[in-house]
Amino acid sequence: MSTPVAYSRQGDVAVLRIDNPPVNALSQAVRQGLSDAMDRAEADAGVKAALIVGEGRAFIAGADITEFGKPPMQPNLPDLCTRIEASPLVVVASMHGVSLGGGLEVALGAHYRIAQPSARVGLPEVHLGLIPGAGGTQRLPRLTGAEKAIEMITTGRQVGASEALGMGLIDKIEEGDTEAVGLAYVQDLLAQEAPRRPVSALPGPDAIDWDATYDAVLKKGRGQISPATAVRAVQAASELPFDAGMLRERELFIELMGTDQRKGMIHAFFNERAVGNLPELKGVAPRPLKAIGVIGGGTMGAGIATATLLAGMQVVLIEMKDDAVEAAKGRIGGNLQGALKRGKISQDAFDTMTTKALTVSTDYGTLKDVDLVIEAVFEEMSVKKDVFGKLDAVCKPGCVLASNTSYLDVNEIAASTSRPSDVIGLHFFSPAHVMKLLEVVVADQTAPDVVATGFALAKALGKVSVRAGVCDGFIGNRILSVYRTAADHMVLDGATPYQIDNALTDFGFAMGPFAVADLAGLDIGWMTRKRKAPHRHPEERVPTYLDKLCEQGHFGQKTGEGYYLYEKGKRGGVPNPKIAELIAAEQRDLGITPRPFTDEDIVRRYMCAMVNEAAKVVGEGIARRPLDVDMTLLFGYGFPRFWGGPMKWADIQGLDKVLADIEAFAKDDAWFWQPAPLLRELVASGRTFDDLNKG
Ligand code: 3H9
């Protein structure tokens, strides 16, 4: 049977070469191969040292994540690392690309480590809801001390080679072929008669204030438990002998392996990658993407232009008047200045982007050569149609015409042009050069290669792209409007906006819905309420207390007053007492007796509303798969990653329980809580949302 670990001999050195594309994950076959190759090296007469190298783009990217949740297969990784370390040979790891998780743990099992200047190392297990489980929490702090190890493990941060050298994590940096530089290093060590140097033999790290560190990391994790658990594992490295520390690490690792958070985060890991792979686009080539047009230089247009410039493309931005041209240039320049300050781009790149790569003009004629144009003007159908008419007249044949609308009918926009098959929705999230999500909205007549071009653009911009169908709000904003409504109903019935915000940040959201509304601007919701008023169903419950605040010109953070009061220069706000008065007045008018809600009630209603609407969105084909909804909420709406997304959350709760809750809520408000047919179907057939992802 072929093994992914090749064995060869270079004089008195055995070379163990791991070749398991794409990233040399430590599958069972690789673990077995490494173990066998170590046995062979030790039995090979005259061999004094073993050199471990990786083929392809990484040394080793870590344990094979696809094996998690399945029955364990021998040899296990901690034993393998211990076995490597215990070898009588001098063992050296020669690292390139990334050495992550179990990959770094294998290298820490070696006696010496050499790396390419471009190599990066890290222990990213917390991003999977885990801690390092093959000695990383015990060996790393023995080399770096507790504080640096805790910082690396609890953030999952990747460290570059020179920083790793400074931390004592690696011993040497050398550019060149990994095997050649590794062999030269081994020969040096052998010539100096350098001893085997097991990290486990080093003393454990000095004590720090473990409880305070644990509490601080727990708080920062906003509900995520693995980073704080890592602190306890490093504490064991300080307080226990090595072997007992390893047992403690194993115990904690296995405990985390059984958690819902681990399931949620691994769901997020794989689906973040799967979401852009659409079966319908297999073999469909995207159109070229060298020059991009942007219509409108407000916050959104300038953000889109910034993201596009940062991806190395040419941008032509159109504004209406000369002063708006200057303002747009200023906004884009400001965004790029931020990237320059953070070291994301060089001064040279900044100069090219702001001068050569960017044209801002009032003349639509300058768009004649662009490959794709994104309209980001006022959300009003007549304005959009006017813009698309102009684009239709000036853009070259084959140019993709995209709208950044967040809820308008892309079919209607497409129909206003002579080339509906070239029209698509590209819904960016503000600030567009920061937010990772892009909804690619496919209209009835959009050509497949135009869809492929939307996805190719997203990839070039480093975004997570989700395919959405046409409906009011597409995937994200449509679902948002429903769970926001559930929150509004709870306020009418007795929960305060502040209790709701707190319950949801405790659940893991970055911000609660009312703090978000203040940040986005209360005028947006006010306008939407007015827009929707004429078509409203008579049974729909819509609170109006906030309109009164808006009528007084209070729109949230930007005016200093909303659900919260904001003091200049201070982060966050304090509850606005006017809100309680306005709510109480509305409750009196409607004859509602406020009732108490527990935090659990709040989360349950909010999440059930989200899942129910999401199930309708999937059932209607607006989202093709539940995973598309999960990634939309994760990357565009601050949904806690450790739950994997609302559909994964629902699967974990049990869909029968979610449906039973919705049916119970419907007893008080049957119009709002109409169970999604798809949810009923899945419960009846005993399936999960995740089953639909596999189809
Ligand atoms: C661990 O090590 C636990 C131990 O402490 C203890 C154990 C007892 N396994 O991201 P890409 C796949 S936990 C399986 O598109 P890039 C990935 O799904 C692990 N598969 O490329 C994708 O597949 P597809 C700690 C993996 O160049 C393909 O490889 N390690 C794994 O943008 C290419 O990936 C981590 O958490 C894996 N470990 O980025 C590292 N890794 O083509 C996780 C990747 O079918 N990985 N795949 O979609 C990464 O961060 C990035 O993948 C990496 C490459 C930086 C390596």
Side-chain angles (χ1 to χ4, degrees):
M1 211 173 77
S2 80
T3 160
V5 181
Y7 181 91
S8 66
R9 194 128 165 211
Q10 299 291 334
D12 48 8
V13 184
V15 179
L16 283 53
R17 178 174 287 275
I18 304 166
D19 185 7
N20 185 29
V23 290
N24 290 336
L26 291 157
S27 63
Q28 189 278 336
V30 172
R31 298 195 302 275
Q32 189 65 57
L34 273 172
S35 178
D36 292 347
M38 285 303 296
D39 290 346
R40 183 167 166 191
E42 286 165 14
D44 204 345
V47 165
K48 294 187 185 143
L51 174 69
I52 307 176
V53 296
E55 182 69 36
R57 65 192 216 233
F59 173 66
I60 305 173
D64 185 341
I65 305 170
T66 59
E67 289 181 359
F68 291 174
K70 298 181 185 157
M73 288 181 287
Q74 297 304 317
N76 74 29
L77 196 54
D79 290 350
L80 176 66
C81 295
T82 301
R83 192 256 168 275
I84 291 172
E85 191 184 55
S87 175
L89 304 173
V90 172
V91 186
V92 176
S94 180
M95 300 141 81
H96 75 288
V98 290
S99 306
L100 299 176
L104 179 57
E105 291 173 305
V106 166
L108 291 172
H111 304 134
Y112 296 90
R113 286 158 290 282
I114 178 169
Q116 298 288 315
S118 57
R120 284 170 298 129
V121 301
L123 292 170
E125 285 85 346
V126 290
H127 298 314
L128 302 171
L130 293 168
I131 58 169
T137 66
Q138 305 303 299
R139 289 194 177 90
L140 183 66
R142 283 179 156 78
L143 290 172
T144 64
E147 273 168 14
K148 283 185 184 145
I150 285 176
E151 190 274 332
M152 256 184 88
I153 299 172
T154 59
T155 60
R157 183 170 73 90
Q158 289 184 15
V159 170
S162 58
E163 189 181 349
L165 184 71
M167 289 165 83
L169 220 168
I170 59 173
D171 306 293
K172 193 174 166 67
I173 299 176
E174 190 77 55
E175 187 151 22
D177 174 72
T178 46
E179 184 171 324
V181 298
L183 281 171
Y185 184 43
V186 174
Q187 291 305 343
D188 275 358
L189 292 168
L190 292 177
Q192 293 163 31
E193 294 184 10
R196 290 171 57 260
R197 206 189 44 176
V199 177
S200 65
L202 299 171
D206 290 342
I208 56 170
D209 187 340
W210 301 109
D211 289 346
T213 308
Y214 177 88
D215 289 345
V217 173
L218 191 64
K219 190 160 174 239
K220 209 167 155 216
R222 279 205 309 259
Q224 199 196 333
I225 51 176
S226 57
T229 308
V231 176
R232 294 302 184 209
V234 175
Q235 182 177 357
S238 171
E239 294 176 352
L240 301 175
F242 182 79
D243 290 346
M246 284 294 283
L247 286 177
R248 182 74 186 124
E249 178 194 81
R250 191 84 196 138
E251 244 170 49
L252 294 170
F253 179 82
I254 289 171
E255 215 172 89
L256 290 171
M257 193 57 110
T259 58
D260 292 338
Q261 293 198 357
R262 193 275 298 164
K263 290 178 199 147
M265 291 190 95
I266 287 185
H267 176 82
F269 176 86
F270 283 116
N271 290 318
E272 180 178 348
R273 286 159 177 80
V275 70
N277 286 336
L278 286 192
E280 72 193 56
L281 294 183
K282 271 224 166 83
V284 181
R287 296 182 186 177
L289 278 174
K290 287 203 187 78
I292 306 295
V294 178
I295 313 299
T299 308
M300 185 54 97
I304 296 171
T306 307
T308 314
L309 288 165
L310 286 170
M313 296 178 198
Q314 296 283 321
V315 173
V316 179
L317 189 141
I318 303 295
E319 254 301 352
M320 302 229 279
K321 295 193 182 118
D322 291 341
D323 54 346
V325 165
E326 289 315 310
K329 278 188 189 162
R331 276 185 204 107
I332 297 168
N335 292 342
L336 291 172
Q337 196 79 48
L340 178 66
K341 265 195 205 137
R342 286 191 303 278
K344 280 183 80 179
I345 51 170
S346 65
Q347 183 67 48
D348 269 5
F350 174 85
D351 294 343
T352 307
M353 286 175 196
T354 46
T355 53
K356 288 188 201 128
L358 175 67
T359 308
V360 186
S361 165
T362 53
D363 175 12
Y364 270 73
T366 43
L367 292 168
K368 67 181 172 35
D369 293 325
V370 301
D371 302 304
L372 180 148
V373 57
I374 306 161
E375 156 285 303
V377 301
F378 191 62
E379 279 286 87
E380 172 74 55
M381 186 53 91
S382 58
V383 182
K384 304 271 188 202
K385 281 186 176 169
D386 180 50
V387 167
F388 273 78
K390 289 181 186 152
L391 295 179
D392 202 6
V394 299
C395 290
K396 66 184 180 186
C399 174
V400 174
L401 309 183
S403 172
N404 177 55
T405 180
S406 45
Y407 60 84
L408 293 175
D409 184 347
V410 184
N411 281 318
E412 194 178 334
I413 296 174
S416 73
T417 71
S418 67
R419 35 176 143 173
S421 62
D422 289 341
V423 176
I424 193 163
L426 291 178
H427 180 209
F428 288 79
F429 289 70
S430 193
H433 56 297
V434 176
M435 292 291 285
K436 286 270 279 182
L437 183 67
L438 180 70
E439 275 182 308
V440 178
V441 185
V442 180
D444 292 348
Q445 293 193 51
T446 309
D449 65 340
V450 169
V451 182
T453 310
F455 277 89
L457 176 73
K459 196 166 180 196
L461 303 188
K463 303 217 178 284
V464 171
S465 44
V466 176
R467 183 202 192 283
V470 176
C471 69
D472 194 333
F474 315 126
I475 299 178
N477 282 347
R478 172 168 159 185
I479 298 172
L480 165 73
S481 86
V482 175
Y483 64 80
R484 256 313 308 248
T485 302
D488 285 339
H489 289 174
M490 287 190 271
V491 168
L492 278 184
D493 292 335
T496 70
Y498 317 106
Q499 189 196 359
I500 293 175
D501 275 358
N502 285 336
L504 291 162
T505 47
D506 284 351
F507 176 77
F509 277 95
M511 288 169 92
F514 298 101
V516 169
D518 269 1
L519 182 67
L522 299 177
D523 43 336
I524 298 181
W526 189 31
M527 267 162 48
T528 309
R529 283 192 294 281
K530 285 195 220 168
R531 176 170 65 87
K532 290 193 170 171
H535 318 288
R536 208 160 265 146
H537 192 278
E539 285 180 61
E540 200 176 334
R541 298 176 74 201
V542 183
T544 56
Y545 68 89
L546 199 64
D547 296 353
K548 301 191 177 78
L549 199 74
C550 293
E551 281 155 17
Q552 294 164 16
H554 303 306
F555 298 138
Q557 274 200 28
K558 61 186 167 191
T559 60
E561 182 170 344
Y563 285 100
Y564 297 84
L565 296 174
Y566 299 89
E567 223 178 284
K568 255 215 159 86
K570 272 200 177 164
R571 270 180 133 216
V574 293
N576 180 358
K578 267 190 213 160
I579 291 283
E581 287 166 24
L582 289 169
I583 294 168
E586 185 153 350
Q587 286 166 335
R588 276 195 303 275
D589 288 351
L590 296 170
I592 295 170
T593 310
R595 63 185 166 86
F597 283 80
T598 64
D599 287 0
E600 203 194 330
D601 292 337
I602 290 169
V603 168
R604 207 84 207 150
R605 280 180 183 259
Y606 197 71
M607 286 305 303
C608 283
M610 192 183 301
V611 170
N612 198 37
E613 190 63 16
K616 290 177 189 171
V617 161
V618 174
E620 291 166 24
I622 299 297
R624 285 276 160 92
R625 305 156 297 186
L627 72 86
D628 294 314
V629 172
D630 281 342
M631 296 308 110
T632 301
L633 271 291
L634 236 53
F635 290 99
Y637 295 82
F639 192 90
R641 187 177 172 95
F642 59 77
W643 281 115
M647 310 307 254
K648 185 67 185 172
W649 175 88
D651 278 348
I652 289 171
Q653 308 308 302
L655 297 190
D656 51 345
K657 271 181 75 185
V658 173
L659 179 61
D661 277 349
I662 291 170
E663 284 169 343
F665 302 150
K667 291 194 180 115
D668 294 329
D669 185 351
W671 192 86
F672 181 75
W673 292 103
Q674 295 176 48
L678 177 65
L679 187 58
R680 282 196 195 284
E681 266 170 56
L682 290 175
V683 171
S685 57
R687 287 180 301 159
T688 63
F689 285 123
D690 214 19
D691 289 333
L692 303 181
N693 289 329
K694 290 164 193 144

